[in-house]
Amino acid sequence: MPALTDKVFLPIPIVVLNVFLAIFKFVLLSAVGACFAIYAKYGGEYAKSVGWTRSAGYLDMTKTLWNTYHRKKVPGTVKLALAVGFFTTLGASFLDKGIASLVTLTLQPGPPEKEVILSRQFAPEEAAYQKFAGWNSVVPSNDNAVNTMRRTLNSSIAIHNRTDGHTYTPVISDYSVTCADFEVQFLGEQIKTGGCGSVDLGIVGETGAGPGQFLTTKRSPNRWSIVMSSQFPGMSSYTMQDTSLGAGYRTSSPGCEFPENYIHGRYITKTWGVTEFPRASTIKCFLDDGNITVMAMTTTRFNLDSETRHSEVVDTMFAKPLDEMLLAMKETIKTKTIPPTPGQPSQNATRAEIWIEVRVINSTIDIHICGSAAPLNKDLSEIGYECLYGTINVLQFRAPRNERIAQSLGSSFENFGLASYMTLEYVPNILSDGTFDPVSPEKMRNDTADMTKYMAELGYNFYADFKGRTLYIQYEVAKLRLGLEVPFWVIVVAGTILLIGLCVWQLTHWLVGSPHTSSLYSIIRARLASKSNTSVPKLMRFRFQPLMLENVKLLPDEAESSCEAESDVVSIYKAESKYEAESNDDPEDQKNKTWGDRAV
């Protein structure tokens, strides 16, 4: 059973709601009338008049309430009952409107059916890392990476032949993790040992570093600092602006590796601040041993006009509390020399240096790199440094095969490596003063890990055939249904009121009975029938002059009753005057007078 605060979708047209509200209003007003029938039986001589006045409508009730308020002869309980009748009838008349205001007309998907959607894509022939054109999505500042991936898989990019009026939800499946702890190498330098798999980190486009040109310091069981030289005789100088961070899962299968989502070729001027807001990419590879490897990476970049600016820029750019690697770089970047490699002159390691902080916790690798942005013919004092902060998440698992996609692919299903590649770009929240919300390393890590898990959940249900330029995705396809969305507590309250009102209405007619549940017209009709011993029609002819019902005078006309009427008016006036005089008497005297003593 849903919670009271939950909303329930009812696949019914709005006309059903209108019929229900009409019945609800009818029963509720009938129940209010039943309550006044009970009051008419036990409330005294005035009680029946209250019920009749209520049935005459709001205007008549208002006039009666106003006139009765100034009459002392009418008891206060009767006045109160008349006021209660006015406001309960008014409330019951508008309660259905209140219920209708809480109901929303909406579209909801019906029962889903699984369907494999094939869509043709464009893939560049000679791309270093294959991906389909157009698969670059934007992550809004108030959203996360997985929601953006879901929207991308639901867009016309993935579903060219989608049918209007249907929803398409990628099918996810359970998976079993086979490896989530990895040894890590950076440019061949062993950093973390042990683990059920191996991840290689590198700098794509780097040409100036080689084995032995590192100074590695272990700072804690899971964090390392590295200082690296980047210039050697006969090789071009390394610059951060021309390279990307790369990651790969070491395997005997076709290579499973991919680069940072970064655009090369920018020329760094001597300024400081953000140069690239977070960009993310994810990849999925199917290995020969039946395992699937998913990797995701998110990086952001900023530059410095001086190494001493690092703390200032980091403090401005990143959310608090600052990551320990960002704080540690303040000291690491002060290292200026690397001990010479045995057999090589020490002057070979005197040019621009690169400073690296690496942290590895199970399947998550966090990395912070700062390096020269200067080519050989430039001085660091003219250009400065560029820094990268990134996080990588790796997961190896097994998932059930998708037989529908396997049948579509045929024999090639058993021999594919790289099967999907998607990139995302975060859009910062720009504030009114032109600044932006700080970059959150924690959000980067969480989103990257969630991207990995979501790609793992897609498993075999999401496959990009780059050779055939076809995308295969299994969806749950559901037709949209028009219906009503109602808070569950509204259903409970309305149903309870309807049931109670129906019971009160029927029990009153059964237990109280006529004439208290009847109108004045019904009472007169029944009395005429009993006197004439004949059946009286349900509808009878009526005249005002004289006041007659089916040729039966209800009251004498003016000529017959002028004297009687004058006498009646005088009698009524005397009775009311006497009642008002007695109202001012001592209360003890009033107690000793009977109702008959006070009557005229």
Side-chain angles (χ1 to χ4, degrees):
M1 178 179 290
L4 290 177
T5 55
D6 292 344
K7 290 190 175 182
V8 178
F9 177 74
L10 304 175
I12 56 177
I14 196 168
V15 66
V16 176
L17 173 66
N18 292 332
V19 171
F20 170 80
L21 292 178
I23 296 173
F24 177 84
K25 183 176 181 178
F26 170 76
V27 171
L28 191 58
L29 289 174
S30 298
V32 173
C35 293
F36 279 93
I38 298 172
Y39 175 71
K41 183 174 183 179
Y42 302 105
E45 292 178 317
Y46 286 99
K48 189 59 183 173
S49 298
V50 173
W52 286 338
T53 302
R54 175 189 161 274
S55 64
Y58 297 115
L59 182 60
D60 201 56
M61 278 192 290
T62 304
K63 290 179 179 179
T64 305
L65 186 61
W66 175 259
N67 295 331
T68 306
Y69 179 77
H70 299 284
R71 295 185 63 191
K72 294 183 179 180
K73 185 178 180 180
V74 180
T77 54
V78 175
K79 298 176 183 178
L80 178 62
L82 191 59
V84 169
F86 177 83
F87 288 108
T88 53
T89 304
L90 188 65
S93 299
F94 284 96
L95 188 58
D96 62 316
K97 309 299 189 298
I99 294 175
S101 67
L102 298 172
V103 178
T104 305
L105 188 64
T106 185
L107 288 170
Q108 291 283 355
E113 295 181 358
K114 292 184 178 180
E115 182 180 348
V116 175
I117 304 295
L118 284 67
S119 61
R120 300 289 294 175
Q121 304 286 330
F122 174 76
E125 290 287 353
E126 299 298 331
Y129 293 90
Q130 286 188 306
K131 69 174 184 177
F132 290 140
W135 285 80
N136 296 312
S137 301
V138 173
V139 184
S141 58
N142 60 347
D143 208 345
N144 58 58
V146 171
N147 285 341
T148 302
M149 291 173 68
R150 290 194 181 105
R151 284 195 298 271
T152 303
L153 295 178
N154 242 323
S155 70
S156 58
I157 295 175
I159 317 170
H160 294 169
N161 54 344
R162 63 187 303 150
T163 304
D164 292 338
H166 291 71
T167 62
Y168 293 81
T169 305
V171 174
I172 60 175
S173 56
D174 295 332
Y175 62 91
S176 57
V177 177
T178 56
C179 185
D181 184 19
F182 305 91
E183 67 174 25
V184 178
Q185 292 187 5
F186 185 84
L187 289 174
E189 181 80 0
Q190 191 76 36
I191 298 176
K192 177 183 177 295
T193 58
C196 49
S198 182
V199 175
D200 294 333
L201 303 179
I203 304 177
V204 180
E206 175 274 330
T207 57
Q213 308 305 314
F214 295 88
L215 176 61
T216 303
T217 305
K218 189 172 184 177
R219 302 296 186 185
S220 70
N222 58 8
R223 187 169 66 83
W224 295 262
S225 298
I226 303 172
V227 180
M228 189 178 81
S229 175
S230 65
Q231 179 190 352
F232 298 93
M235 296 185 181
S236 61
S237 174
Y238 166 87
T239 61
M240 283 290 291
Q241 70 197 43
D242 294 326
T243 57
S244 301
L245 177 65
Y249 181 77
R250 196 184 312 155
T251 173
S252 58
S253 301
C256 185
E257 57 183 26
F258 73 128
E260 170 194 4
N261 182 17
Y262 169 65
I263 301 174
H264 294 184
R266 295 181 302 102
Y267 188 73
I268 304 301
T269 58
K270 188 174 177 171
T271 57
W272 62 276
V274 180
T275 56
E276 293 283 348
F277 282 100
R279 294 173 179 262
S281 52
T282 180
I283 194 173
K284 178 167 62 179
C285 300
F286 296 85
L287 310 182
D288 289 341
D289 58 6
N291 286 314
I292 305 174
T293 298
V294 172
M295 295 189 289
M297 178 193 303
T298 306
T299 60
T300 184
R301 291 191 176 221
F302 59 95
N303 63 324
L304 313 172
D305 56 355
S306 168
E307 64 185 56
T308 58
R309 283 274 200 180
H310 183 273
S311 297
E312 182 180 351
V313 175
V314 164
D315 191 64
T316 303
M317 177 179 171
F318 290 93
K320 309 299 186 297
L322 292 174
D323 191 303
E324 63 174 344
M325 294 203 307
L326 295 170
L327 296 174
M329 181 60 76
K330 179 181 178 180
E331 297 301 321
T332 303
I333 203 171
K334 293 178 181 179
T335 304
K336 298 299 181 184
T337 60
I338 300 175
T341 302
Q344 291 186 345
S346 60
Q347 63 266 25
N348 289 338
T350 59
R351 183 53 181 166
E353 285 132 345
I354 305 164
W355 301 270
I356 306 163
E357 295 288 333
V358 181
R359 178 178 58 210
V360 182
I361 302 177
N362 298 327
S363 61
T364 300
I365 304 168
D366 298 320
I367 188 164
H368 181 28
I369 305 175
C370 285
S372 165
L376 280 173
N377 60 344
K378 294 290 183 181
D379 188 84
L380 285 177
S381 60
E382 296 181 33
I383 300 299
Y385 303 81
E386 184 169 16
C387 298
L388 173 150
Y389 178 86
T391 181
I392 302 168
N393 194 271
V394 186
L395 189 65
Q396 187 180 99
F397 61 95
R398 286 181 179 270
R401 283 165 49 99
N402 188 306
E403 296 301 332
R404 296 186 182 184
I405 294 181
Q407 291 174 6
S408 300
L409 285 167
S411 59
S412 61
F413 183 76
E414 302 294 339
N415 276 328
F416 57 81
L418 173 62
S420 54
Y421 183 56
M422 189 182 299
T423 60
L424 308 174
E425 182 174 357
Y426 286 77
V427 176
N429 180 33
I430 306 299
L431 306 179
S432 58
D433 60 356
T435 59
F436 56 86
D437 283 341
V439 175
S440 171
E442 182 179 7
K443 178 176 173 58
M444 289 175 60
R445 280 193 297 273
N446 292 340
D447 273 16
T448 305
D450 290 343
M451 288 171 66
T452 305
K453 293 176 182 176
Y454 183 62
M455 191 67 83
E457 289 175 340
L458 292 173
Y460 283 96
N461 304 317
F462 175 53
Y463 169 60
D465 179 11
F466 290 105
K467 184 177 180 180
R469 296 186 178 184
T470 305
L471 182 67
Y472 297 82
I473 305 178
Q474 184 167 33
Y475 288 96
E476 289 183 340
V477 182
K479 185 177 181 180
L480 289 174
R481 299 179 297 175
L482 184 65
L484 306 175
E485 194 174 59
V486 189
F488 186 63
W489 68 266
V490 172
I491 297 176
V492 173
V493 171
T496 303
I497 292 175
L498 184 63
L499 182 62
I500 293 175
L502 192 62
C503 292
V504 170
W505 177 32
Q506 293 301 314
L507 287 175
T508 301
H509 277 268
W510 180 37
L511 297 176
V512 176
S514 181
H516 303 291
T517 58
S518 303
S519 65
L520 179 60
Y521 172 79
S522 298
I523 293 173
I524 294 173
R525 185 188 64 202
R527 185 61 56 89
L528 292 176
S530 64
K531 285 186 176 183
S532 61
N533 293 321
T534 59
S535 61
V536 178
K538 297 295 183 182
L539 291 177
M540 297 184 290
R541 294 167 292 177
F542 179 82
R543 287 189 299 176
F544 280 101
Q545 294 295 337
L547 200 62
M548 298 180 68
L549 200 62
E550 283 292 330
N551 299 321
V552 177
K553 286 186 179 181
L554 300 180
L555 293 174
D557 55 24
E558 291 186 21
E560 296 174 341
S561 61
S562 58
C563 295
E564 295 179 8
E566 182 178 350
S567 176
D568 290 343
V569 171
V570 172
S571 299
I572 293 171
Y573 175 76
K574 287 180 178 180
E576 290 190 352
S577 300
K578 185 177 180 180
Y579 178 82
E580 292 176 359
E582 289 175 353
S583 299
N584 296 325
D585 290 346
D586 184 60
E588 293 297 327
D589 294 338
Q590 293 188 38
K591 290 180 181 179
N592 297 325
K593 294 180 180 180
T594 65
W595 186 87
D597 295 330
R598 298 176 186 173
V600 177

